[in-house]
Amino acid sequence: MLFDTKPKTRRADLFDFEEEFSRLSRLINDSLTRLIVVRGLRRTGKTSLVLTTLNELGVPYVFIDVREVVRSRRGLYEVLSRALSDFLRRYSLRKALLNSIIKALSGVRGVRVHGVEVSLNWGRDRPLLTELFREFDGVSSSVGVGFVIVIDEAQRLGGSLGIEVWSAVLTPMIFSEILSS
């Protein structure tokens, strides 16, 4: 597994990240930390570090992968739909959590949930990203489980799409950074 290029998700497969793993674990468990930025040189294991830490801690997370080129609102909302569907599939065994999330998402304009498949309208009736994130916060509070939203390769979101995503994410919060280059 060490030389596999896919991101790692188990600690046994993560090599030489003990200090970063500990720091990231502390930040995730700190209830005051609202935003964590993991940065560093390309292809150094940032995604593996994040996924492994979240899996080891058992923290539910939505993994939004914008490595593929997202140049339109439609592309962004398709990536978000896939990420939310994957999230629901991953946590389908936790019925109470799953039902709370489905109920919250179903109440958002422009969101349709079919089983564990989520589709987001990307046109005029699209859901606001701030509304989606607010619903996740609400579910998190009501079930007493913290969620993490991971935006992998977020620097690729530029222009008006980047502004839309960052405006939804960067509300007043405590900011932490791990893994400087």
Side-chain angles (χ1 to χ4, degrees), residues 18 21 24 34 38 49 62 65 70 73 99 102 113 131 157 160 167-168:
E18 290 80 18
F21 180 89
L24 185 55
R34 304 291 294 173
V38 178
L49 171 66
V62 176
D65 186 357
V70 177
R73 180 165 284 116
N99 290 337
I102 289 173
V113 181
E131 192 175 2
L157 292 171
S160 61
S167 295

Side-chain angles (χ1 to χ4, degrees), residues 43-102:
R43 314 260 332 137
T44 56
K46 297 175 299 293
T47 301
S48 293
L49 171 66
V50 170
L51 292 177
T52 298
T53 305
L54 292 170
N55 284 322
E56 290 291 319
L57 295 176
V59 175
Y61 63 90
V62 176
F63 184 77
I64 303 168
D65 186 357
V66 293
R67 279 183 290 177
E68 60 187 81
V69 179
V70 177
R71 295 181 190 221
S72 67
R73 180 165 284 116
R74 179 181 183 173
L76 173 64
Y77 279 70
E78 286 174 353
V79 166
L80 287 170
S81 294
R82 282 194 303 273
L84 290 170
S85 296
D86 180 56
F87 173 78
L88 292 180
R89 270 192 292 287
R90 237 180 307 122
Y91 296 101
S92 63
L93 296 176
R94 297 184 186 180
K95 289 293 183 200
L97 175 64
L98 181 68
N99 290 337
S100 296
I101 293 167
I102 289 173

Side-chain angles (χ1 to χ4, degrees), residues 7-18:
K8 312 299 181 266
T9 57
R10 297 177 330 126
R11 195 162 185 187
D13 300 327
L14 195 64
F15 179 73
D16 199 28
F17 274 101
E18 290 80 18

Side-chain angles (χ1 to χ4, degrees), residues 12 23 28 31 33 41 66 89 91 98 107 112 120 137 139 147 153 156 164-165 176:
R23 286 181 62 202
I28 290 170
S31 62
T33 302
L41 297 174
V66 293
R89 270 192 292 287
Y91 296 101
L98 181 68
R112 286 188 308 253
L120 302 178
D137 273 347
V139 170
F147 296 109
E153 297 291 338
R156 292 187 180 208
E164 187 174 337
V165 171
S176 297

